[in-house]
């Protein structure tokens, strides 16, 4: 994909592809953090026997 973006649009296409990848990584890492926090919270409450 990088080669195609580079040959079709030059450095602008490659920059756009790189920026898109970084934005995707930020979104992915944020959602991964929320997932970890939520599963930890649920597991602690489950182990303590707190259903509500």
């Amino acid at each position: 994909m990088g080669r195609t973006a580079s040959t079709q649009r030059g450095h602008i296409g490659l920059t756009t592809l790189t920026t898109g990848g970084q934005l995707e990584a930020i979104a992915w890492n944020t959602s991964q953090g929320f997932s970890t926090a939520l599963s930890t919270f649920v597991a602690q409450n489950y182990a303590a026997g707190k259903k509500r």
Side-chain angles (χ1 to χ4, degrees):
M1 284 176 51
R3 181 180 293 173
T4 303
S6 177
T7 58
Q8 296 296 320
R9 301 282 187 222
H11 67 283
I12 300 296
L14 194 56
T15 302
T16 303
L17 182 67
T18 303
T19 304
Q22 290 174 347
L23 289 173
E24 181 185 4
I26 289 170
W28 179 264
N29 288 334
T30 302
S31 64
Q32 192 79 24
F34 278 117
S35 172
T36 301
L38 183 61
S39 65
T40 301
F41 181 73
V42 169
Q44 285 178 342
N45 285 322
Y46 182 75
K50 296 180 181 178
K51 301 285 181 179
R52 293 184 181 187

